[in-house]
Amino acid sequence: MKSLAIKTFEEYQERYAQSVADPSAFWGEIAETFQWEKSWDKVLEWNFQEPKVQWFKGGQLNITTNALDRHLEHNANKIAFYWEPNDPSTEARSYTYAQLHTAVCRFANALKVKGIKKGDRICIYMPMIPELAIAVLACARIGAVHSVVFAGFSANALADRIVDAEATMVITSDGLNRGAKSMALKEIVDEAITTCPSITNVIVYNCLGWECNMVSGRDSWWHDAIAHQPEHCTPELMDVEDPLFILYTSGSTGKPKGVVHTCGGYMVYTAYTFQNVYQYEADDIYWCTADIGWITGHSYIVYGPLLSGATSVLFEGIPTYPYAGRFWQIVEKYKVTQFLTAPTAIRSLMAHGTEHLKPYDLSSLKILGTVGEPINEEAWQWYYKEVGKEQCAIVDNWWQTETGGIMISGIGTLSPLKPTFAGYPLPGIQPVLLNQEGREIEEPNVEGYLCIKAPWPSILRTTYGDHERCRVTYFSHYDGYYFTGDGAKRDENGMYRIIGRIDDVINVSGHRFGTAEIENAINANEHVIESAVVGYPHPVKGQSIYAFVVGEELPEDELAARHSIVETVSKEIGKIAVPEKIMFVTGLPKTRSGKIMRRILRKVAEGETGSLGDTSTLLDPGIVDEIILKSNTI
Ligand code: PRX
């Protein structure tokens, strides 16, 4: 397999220039390194007005042939995944490419026996175990569209996603252990599907040996389903633009959208970016600590590394369980060479202290990645000095669920390092900064709205079941541009620093939530009339959630009322979306036209009550005094 990696920074500059001058020639050459059943007729056709983007039009392939089968000739016995369990006393597992291929084929055959066909949607709700990756790949093998839901979302959130995708099957496990906590996943699935008439099958992996209520005719155990399945499964022939998966993500409206990625462009781009950003070499051991439930896990645990024939670590647990040195113990154990985690994990480990790093040999590390949210200078320096011992490159990967792959980032050890700057655009990516009027800002040292001017192979194609929503959300803000929702700064050398969201999206520990989504959840509480949610800076989580809540009257027992709201949000979305702070108020600061002035609430949440700006347009300025007074007690 030919490596797609650029070898010098000068080569990056040349390749970048080519990619902009002639995207079709550039991506056509890269796509040729993959296995296609039928080659494409045209590399690129696009417009951002509808929007309609087609890469490698006319091509046919199966992504799993590229991720698995093509490695069998030379690398059948190479490890694809080392699996490290949550509890270090549980036995670790590993899968070679040959074993993974067999496991995927057997499970794919099991899915077919259950009647699953190309195009069917399958919801996967599982712990971070190898079977999660196997389930994902088995869907891709037979052309079923996977929709992985992070196993931290509640039954209601799971049901919303199943209903939206009209999924016919859920793949889950009896339960999961994450750190010291556990969740009964099958029970959550059972609760969710009481409102999901489309579900006809549930497959349950026996992960923890728990008893489960198995509904006859609907539910089956994973081990029974694969028991007599053959070890080969002919890959389904997919059109290059057939959907590969749906992944739900939050935006500025109350309802998460199903971002749709397709087979060919996603394959080419995730492999290309993985090999370049992580400069993966044949004997390297790569570890991304994300969960496959998020896009980072899809692109940089499952597809990018497997398409590249890489060896990866798959970790079930959390950074600090059962001790704060767990990450570093795993790095030492597997001699990890490339390591990718989130700023929130770095900050949390930093807070535990450097002594937890000391017992471990981290000298195998070459490249340290960070992804999911802006990294602050202190965390960057700690990562660079304490983890990397000033010997490793830091690559700050900026991208989104919608972009499918990394867009702006350092390239391994090749790019110049600049703390808190994600860096330069990867080849094929044309970012621009726009001002409020939508004009491109050319000058150096400026800030603006980050937009992308031309398509790249893994751009989202639609939002499931509602193409208009895709157009309005991403392509209507500025005509002819993909709108990211992020603000960014560009320095005199053309390096980008991501400032953060400019829309109503809050990024908590790298997880995206829309303010409206959380408000809807809070409003589901029977005592709540309305609420407003804002994000505020948090030393470990990056941002945290602050909720201002109006009930029929102020609660007598605030502790109990707060508890009740926490319960409601946990039920509606999941514990991951619970507000850190809740203030009960008699009203919200609204303009005369009824619009909530979030600017004021944001200032209050940030503790800057002295600089609220003009409040004269408020319907009832007295509300602000009440909020300021209360803010000292929260
Ligand atoms: O605001 C940006 C932030 O996370 C958003 C995308 O979130 P999601 O779709 O969940 O994908 C996360 C993993 C790619 C972006 O709009 N973000 C992501 N990476 C970075 C970042 N902010 C700053 N620096 C990053 N490296």
Side-chain angles (χ1 to χ4, degrees):
M1 215 188 76
K2 193 176 158 225
S3 165
L4 301 172
I6 288 163
K7 292 292 171 224
T8 62
F9 191 64
E10 291 66 37
E11 192 190 342
Y12 156 72
Q13 289 170 316
E14 277 165 33
R15 297 292 279 156
Y16 184 79
Q18 283 167 8
S19 76
V20 174
D22 191 349
S24 294
F26 179 83
W27 288 111
E29 192 190 320
I30 292 167
E32 270 168 18
T33 65
F34 293 83
Q35 274 183 17
W36 297 80
E37 290 306 313
K38 176 181 170 295
S39 188
W40 53 91
D41 305 317
K42 193 171 178 195
V43 174
L44 174 62
E45 219 171 83
W46 69 288
N47 74 73
F48 275 177
Q49 276 67 41
E50 289 177 68
K52 185 159 187 177
V53 180
Q54 292 171 280
W55 281 94
F56 314 113
K57 195 175 168 185
Q60 291 181 329
L61 76 161
N62 186 292
I63 195 167
T64 66
T65 312
N66 286 276
L68 299 171
D69 304 54
R70 74 171 164 155
H71 307 310
L72 297 184
E73 191 182 342
H74 300 296
N75 284 315
N77 296 324
K78 181 172 177 177
I79 299 290
F81 286 126
Y82 286 111
W83 178 71
E84 178 67 20
N86 179 61
D87 185 337
S89 65
T90 306
E91 202 176 329
R93 291 196 262 158
S94 66
Y95 279 81
T96 63
Y97 272 91
Q99 290 167 332
L100 188 60
H101 179 266
T102 303
V104 168
C105 286
R106 290 184 72 195
F107 193 60
N109 286 325
L111 295 179
K112 286 211 265 190
V113 168
K114 300 276 176 205
I116 302 296
K117 310 174 300 302
K118 176 176 176 177
D120 290 350
R121 276 81 55 216
I122 297 192
C123 176
I124 304 176
Y125 184 70
M126 289 185 91
M128 272 293 284
I129 52 177
E131 285 69 23
L132 169 52
I134 291 165
V136 162
L137 292 161
C139 289
R141 187 76 172 180
I142 62 168
V145 179
H146 55 80
S147 165
V148 183
V149 177
F150 173 66
F153 280 111
S154 66
N156 284 4
L158 176 62
D160 286 347
R161 287 155 177 76
I162 292 172
V163 167
D164 189 80
E166 294 168 287
T168 53
M169 174 188 273
V170 183
I171 304 169
T172 190
S173 69
D174 45 356
L176 69 68
N177 285 326
R178 189 181 286 131
K181 298 188 182 130
S182 54
M183 277 173 82
L185 297 189
K186 175 63 166 59
E187 280 177 22
I188 296 171
V189 168
D190 283 346
E191 189 188 334
I193 61 181
T194 54
T195 56
C196 303
S198 57
I199 296 294
T200 51
N201 274 294
V202 179
I203 297 185
V204 188
Y205 181 75
N206 185 350
C207 184
L208 304 173
W210 291 355
E211 296 256 320
C212 287
N213 166 42
M214 300 293 278
V215 176
S216 162
R218 186 196 73 185
D219 300 354
S220 41
W221 288 105
W222 175 296
H223 53 263
D224 290 334
I226 60 167
H228 303 292
Q229 294 309 324
E231 296 188 350
H232 287 279
C233 171
T234 308
E236 185 74 31
L237 190 60
M238 304 296 283
D239 183 88
V240 67
E241 286 294 347
D242 278 337
L244 174 65
F245 67 86
I246 305 171
L247 187 58
Y248 284 86
T249 191
S250 302
S252 16
T253 55
K255 194 172 161 260
K257 357 176 221 302
V259 167
V260 176
H261 284 289
T262 58
C263 296
Y266 180 82
M267 169 182 80
V268 170
Y269 196 72
T270 51
Y272 180 75
T273 48
F274 171 72
Q275 290 177 44
N276 276 292
V277 171
Y278 287 94
Q279 292 284 305
Y280 187 84
E281 290 173 22
D283 296 327
D284 286 346
I285 311 287
Y286 161 87
W287 179 22
C288 166
T289 71
D291 191 291
I292 294 174
W294 310 111
I295 191 68
T296 305
H298 280 60
S299 301
Y300 299 110
I301 295 179
V302 180
Y303 288 110
L306 293 177
L307 287 162
S308 308
T311 298
S312 303
V313 176
L314 194 68
F315 178 42
E316 187 184 26
I318 60 166
T320 48
Y321 181 81
Y323 39 79
R326 186 76 196 278
F327 265 10
W328 318 124
Q329 177 254 330
I330 297 172
V331 168
E332 179 184 81
K333 175 174 175 185
Y334 295 100
K335 299 195 170 43
V336 171
T337 44
Q338 288 95 341
F339 176 71
L340 168 59
T341 196
T344 186
I346 300 169
R347 288 189 294 259
S348 137
L349 292 168
M350 187 169 81
H352 278 86
T354 310
E355 64 272 19
H356 299 286
L357 289 157
K358 294 233 165 81
Y360 305 106
D361 176 7
L362 306 182
S363 61
S364 56
L365 289 169
K366 298 192 283 192
I367 294 168
L368 300 174
T370 154
V371 65
E373 36 165 339
I375 182 161
N376 50 312
E377 173 95 29
E378 198 191 351
W380 194 100
Q381 294 293 357
W382 188 82
Y383 203 26
Y384 182 66
K385 290 190 181 133
E386 303 298 342
V387 181
K389 320 287 183 216
E390 302 187 23
Q391 301 297 311
C392 297
I394 305 267
V395 290
D396 181 352
N397 308 161
W398 173 79
W399 58 295
Q400 308 177 299
T401 304
E402 295 85 343
T403 71
I406 303 167
M407 302 285 279
I408 300 179
S409 171
I411 297 186
T413 52
L414 312 182
S415 314
L417 290 180
K418 183 164 179 179
T420 77
F421 276 68
Y424 292 103
L426 295 186
I429 305 306
Q430 300 184 45
V432 290
L433 296 180
L434 300 186
N435 64 15
Q436 277 195 330
E437 288 75 50
R439 267 202 311 280
E440 287 185 27
I441 319 171
E442 309 275 348
E443 306 87 63
N445 291 314
V446 284
E447 282 182 23
Y449 301 148
L450 180 61
C451 290
I452 317 287
K453 208 169 160 157
W456 59 100
S458 64
I459 185 173
L460 86 161
R461 300 303 199 266
T462 190
T463 44
Y464 190 76
D466 192 351
H467 191 64
E468 177 61 5
R469 192 162 174 214
C470 172
R471 188 189 70 76
V472 170
T473 312
Y474 306 107
F475 299 92
S476 69
H477 290 256
Y478 299 108
D479 192 30
Y481 297 94
Y482 165 80
F483 176 68
T484 67
D486 279 325
K489 178 182 171 146
R490 191 175 49 224
D491 75 1
E492 60 286 359
N493 298 314
M495 290 177 98
Y496 286 84
R497 175 188 189 177
I498 312 304
I499 296 165
R501 300 292 301 198
I502 49 173
D503 53 10
D504 291 328
V505 169
I506 308 178
N507 191 329
V508 186
S509 301
H511 303 157
R512 260 167 83 165
F513 299 103
T515 52
E517 186 186 1
I518 301 170
E519 286 160 10
N520 285 351
I522 295 174
N523 297 351
N525 184 293
E526 55 176 343
H527 302 297
V528 174
I529 293 176
E530 65 172 339
S531 60
V533 158
V534 294
Y536 69 99
H538 186 280
V540 173
K541 298 177 181 176
Q543 276 190 299
S544 207
I545 302 167
Y546 201 129
F548 297 84
V549 177
V550 183
E552 276 150 24
E553 49 198 26
L554 288 173
E556 269 172 33
D557 182 349
E558 285 213 352
L559 209 62
R562 219 169 260 138
H563 187 69
S564 161
I565 286 176
V566 165
E567 289 266 288
T568 309
V569 176
S570 305
K571 186 163 182 292
E572 294 294 317
I573 308 178
K575 287 203 174 67
I576 46 177
V578 161
E580 179 116 353
K581 294 189 178 178
I582 300 173
M583 184 194 287
F584 295 98
V585 283
T586 57
L588 297 171
K590 288 186 182 168
T591 60
R592 290 195 180 88
S593 58
K595 199 168 171 292
I596 298 170
M597 280 182 91
R598 285 173 192 278
R599 177 176 60 77
I600 292 177
L601 298 178
R602 252 181 242 123
K603 287 269 183 201
V604 172
E606 285 163 13
E608 292 178 21
T609 45
S611 58
L612 293 184
D614 182 17
T615 55
S616 62
T617 56
L618 287 177
L619 189 63
D620 178 5
I623 290 290
V624 176
D625 298 331
E626 178 192 330
I627 290 177
I628 293 175
L629 203 66
K630 271 211 126 169
S631 69
N632 303 323
T633 64
I634 300 294

